[in-house]
Amino acid sequence: MAAGAASGGSATTDTYKEARTWLLLPAWVTLSILVLAPVLMMLIYSFLTKEFRGGVIWEFSLAAYDQFFFDRGLFGDEPPKIEWTYITIFWRSIWQAAAATLLSLAIGFPTAYFIATRSENMRPVWVFLITIPYWVNLLIRTVSMKFLLRDQGPLNDFLMNIGLIDSPLHIVNTNFAVQLGLFYSYLPFMVLPIYAAVERYNFALSEAAADLYASKWTTLRRILLPAVKPGVFAGCILVFVPSMGSFLAPDLLGGAKNFMIGSLIEEQFKGNAGNWPFGAAASMVLLTMVLIILMFSARQQAKADKAGG
Amino acid sequence: MKHMMKSGVAALALAFGANAAAAEGELVLYHWFEYIPQELLDKFTEETGITVTMDTYDSNESMLASLKAGGIGTYDVSVPGDYMVSIMAGEGMLDTIADGELKNKGNIAPDWADPSFDPGRQSSIPYQWGSTSFAVNRDAYDGDIQTTDILFNPPAELQGRINMLDSQGEVMAMAALHMGIPQCSTDREQLKALNAMLQEAKQHWASFNSDTAKEVLVSGDAAVGQIYDGFSAKAREEGANVEYAYPTQGYIAWMDNVVLLKDAPNRDNALIFMDFLLEPENIAAVTNFAQYNAGLNGVESFLDPALAAQPEKNPHANAGPGVFIEVCSEEVQSVYDQIWTNLKK
Amino acid sequence: MANKQFDIKSYPGFKGITLLCLVILYAPLVVVTVYSFNASQSLTNWEGVSLRWYSDVFTGPESGKFKTAAKNSFIIAIIAATTATTIATLAATGMVRGGKFRFRTVSFGLISLPLMVPEIVLAVATLIFFNSIGFERGLLTILLAHIAFCIPFAYLPISARMQGIEDSYEQAALDLYATKRQAFTKILLPLMMPGIISGFLLAFIVSLDDFIITNFVKGAGVETLPTAIFGSVKQGIKPNIMAISTMLLSVSIVMVTISYFVSKSDNTK
């Protein structure tokens, strides 16, 4: 599906068809043992009985999913209603992640394009420039970011000094700060895949379009974007999906007043609750949701490809 | 290149394949981050010839999770907080120290010799103790701060400028003190009221943050912060005009303890280590480092004199009682979880 | 560069946004660097210039810990990123150049799986898994876990790149009696390089920065930079962390500068 969704004239080909199994085998084996097996174990855990303060009792139970979808009151003895708490938390995480992805795209695409159009020996330098900040630990970077954005911080001082604003912008501990935290955590994950795709782009196509009196922006939209779509798609996945489960940077900047999915799940394994089956169940719901979103967007992309020829 | 990689992995496996098990002269310590001075560990190795391997955790609960997931049998000793000692005992994770196995046991101060979380000190010895309440920036507010109203029903000047610890235990215990209800109450009306009170109070809170609890006070981002006494002292030393409160309704007391873990691979060395930490001079080194309090007799002469004079260490006459966080039953805990989720949904 | 070409390639505002991007990325690092020279213990109060935190890193009681942690982090990040990139390159070739096949969707799902599972869940599950098969925790467990979750980060840029390369080049080589292996190593791989480098760099920074999973699967006494750093954070962030970060930055910037001049001299030959 997604990875294979073709575009830019090059559909999947079968040059290495015979070797396919061998090419994929290392990935299959590594991921099956190190990721799939633990995830399947968590799937089983989500259907087991919780052991108080962490751990599971090996008895089948739907309690975890029941807790997720049904509200039985503070004491668990009222008639079940639909539980909105977790849906709210999930919905919030989705749109925060989506906003962060759009923000990354808005900044990341022009950056990637700019880098890809530098001279050949400058490109690696730019690529490194984008990733170097990530050698510094996320927590340290985020704490420093918070310092910059504070009400009495350097950013507000600067903006007030140049007369752009009269009173400090209140950024820290807002929803926007959460998105900023996510954006900042994953920006290179948007830039690099797009760069790798644009770098390959044949500018003769743009020239041809210009010869046919297409405007620059039309060329961008109609010729360039479709050609580099796999890169954009990869970048969006790499920002959106991890953002859904992330909480460290957004909590630090946003004030953690509301659970993100990630912090809700973390709480089940490391907090007072110690409700492993519920943590596992919430992860499975998240996993299912992300899979659906991925498949849906991959299908949309494939459709668009067919329609666009 | 592939070949190189393979042999690289093999070399790594040989060089580092963690060999934490029972080699002679070893001790495997599972400890909080940054809570024991390296010099003290070096001294221990020098005196006893036992090499110390230390692994670290960032919360009582994550230590429990890691031990539950299979860490038992890897470590000799760990350093849980008061309530976590009883939880671990209930989980059967602790070994019993027989009478006479610790020759320095008599050094434990009488106040801490028979705590509720480990009667008779069967598996633990005191490490450090202190209190948790909150600190207020005196530039922002000069009224009476010796009341939990500051956190849960704040005056107008402080509204929207409060940082809470991102920890269910500390927030709930403080809330119970504020309402004057017992911790882990099973009374439904009280629990409902607790839920409602927290919902109301949350409107006035700016953030939940444990990692930078001290920094937000120093930088002035928060005017009130729920905080440990040692952290508040450090914030003050760094120039923040903060005062640590001992509310009349009471405050949270805590004690970290060194426990002997079940199936300790180096049980004898663990006991030697515990005896080492029962020497006043040694535990005083921890106190000087972490700025909390030791639980032994005879430490005073080894302590940094400035420490004893800190206002954070000296409750005023009208301070309420210091209470340990209680361990709730499974039923109450699930209501607490619900309240906590409601608070942060 | 031809004027017309330049016109077509450049879009107004893109340069500005790129500069904005760099400012956003680097502004916090300026704070880090400045405060690494702060004489005070505090992160927020400035008390004059001092090198005490740098000497603390090298001679302080924790210098040994940080040195080993840095060494571990880099060994793990380099091996994990290299292995993950190799696996991902092969997998991308299989997926993009392997024709249509039944398990393609499943394979893609499997490759993206590490992205979709929250880290804490993977951490606990991996720990239980390693314990249940009797695998002793140590550097090797960290390395294996890192290889696994680095794969999608390497795979996505690589496969995105490969989809932009028509297979006509390889076909031409094959027509000229090159073997498949030659077509792959001599034609496809060089064309893939920007994608592979991007994938490697992403895998590298993901591995270098991982805390949650590492903290669970590492053996007793094994530290990586993030686990060593988080320790200090719990006791209030000390400027020695800022000093370490600044040195890391300097090392990476020096490396970039060298690689820039090397590539420049290569080209002018």
Side-chain angles (χ1 to χ4, degrees), chain A residues 5-28:
Chain A
S7 65
S10 136
T12 57
T13 60
D14 50 7
T15 317
Y16 302 102
K17 195 172 170 185
E18 307 80 43
R20 186 173 63 212
T21 308
W22 294 108
L23 288 168
L24 283 165
L25 199 63
W28 282 340

Side-chain angles (χ1 to χ4, degrees), chain A residues 1-2 233 294-304:
Chain A
M1 66 182 194
F233 191 69
L294 276 188
M295 293 222 204
F296 181 75
S297 49
R299 183 160 300 170
Q300 289 300 104
Q301 199 197 349
K303 252 190 210 159

Side-chain angles (χ1 to χ4, degrees), chain B residues 1-2 5 8-9 12-13 16-21 28-30 33-35 38-39 42 53-58 62 65-66 68-71 74-75 210-212 214-215 218-219 231 234 237-240 289-290 292, chain C residues 40-45 47 61-62 65-66 68 71-72 75-76 79 82-83 86 90 124 127-128 131 136-140 143 147 211 215-216 218-223 226-228 230-238:
Chain B
M1 191 181 80
K2 231 179 167 182
M5 229 155 63
V9 172
L12 264 184
F16 301 105
N19 185 12
V28 191
L29 173 61
Y30 198 24
F33 285 120
E34 292 269 317
Y35 199 5
Q38 183 62 41
E39 294 91 336
D42 294 345
T53 311
M54 183 162 72
D55 209 354
T56 45
Y57 52 83
D58 60 356
S62 74
S66 157
K68 275 230 170 180
T74 318
Y75 305 106
S210 305
D211 289 345
T212 57
K214 188 188 75 184
E215 276 77 15
V218 178
S219 69
F231 265 35
K234 284 180 188 169
E237 283 163 12
E238 289 177 16
F289 174 77
Y292 294 119
Chain C
S40 154
Q41 168 83 301
S42 162
L43 265 188
T44 34
N45 289 345
E47 280 178 21
E62 294 165 326
K65 183 174 103 182
F66 281 123
T68 333
K71 199 180 82 188
N72 287 344
I75 293 177
I76 290 169
I79 300 181
T82 312
T83 315
T86 311
L90 296 177
V124 174
L127 177 57
I128 297 172
N131 278 322
E136 199 152 0
R137 289 190 283 157
L139 265 191
L140 193 62
L143 182 61
I147 290 174
F211 170 70
N215 196 34
F216 265 76
K218 78 196 179 77
V222 182
E223 299 280 359
T227 65
F230 269 63
S232 315
V233 171
K234 287 287 155 182
Q235 288 295 306
I237 302 162
K238 282 197 303 184

Side-chain angles (χ1 to χ4, degrees), chain A residues 26 50-55 67 71 73-78 83-86 88-89 92 139 143 146-147 150-152 172-173 248 251-259 263-264 266-276, chain B residues 58-62 64-65 68-69 83 87 91 166-169 186-189 191-192 195 202-209 211-212 215-216 219-221 327-330 333-335 337-345:
Chain A
K50 77 164 173 175
E51 189 185 342
F52 188 38
R53 305 201 181 287
Q67 181 182 344
D71 175 10
L74 201 51
F75 305 99
D77 54 3
E78 289 165 29
E83 173 68 276
W84 289 104
T85 307
Y86 304 110
T88 313
I89 293 172
R92 179 185 311 125
L139 199 69
V143 169
K146 193 175 174 182
F147 173 88
R150 283 163 41 199
D151 288 3
Q152 290 92 24
V172 171
N173 298 338
L248 218 120
D251 272 3
L252 205 53
L253 280 172
K257 280 175 78 180
N258 301 110
F259 272 132
S263 39
L264 174 74
E266 164 113 348
E267 183 89 3
Q268 307 308 318
F269 288 99
K270 282 176 81 176
N272 287 51
N275 189 343
W276 290 17
Chain B
D58 60 356
S59 75
N60 277 309
E61 283 73 21
S62 74
L64 184 70
K68 275 230 170 180
Y83 67 98
I87 291 173
E91 297 277 332
D166 196 4
S167 156
Q168 194 198 106
T186 50
D187 184 293
R188 291 193 160 209
E189 293 312 311
L191 286 166
K192 276 184 195 163
N195 186 35
K202 186 196 176 183
Q203 300 169 11
H204 306 306
W205 295 343
S207 55
F208 288 89
N209 206 313
D211 289 345
T212 57
E215 276 77 15
V216 292
S219 69
D221 289 347
V327 179
C328 301
S329 69
E330 188 166 356
Q333 185 59 48
S334 72
V335 180
D337 289 344
Q338 189 87 48
I339 294 176
W340 185 247
T341 312
N342 283 344
L343 186 62
K344 296 193 76 179
K345 78 178 170 196

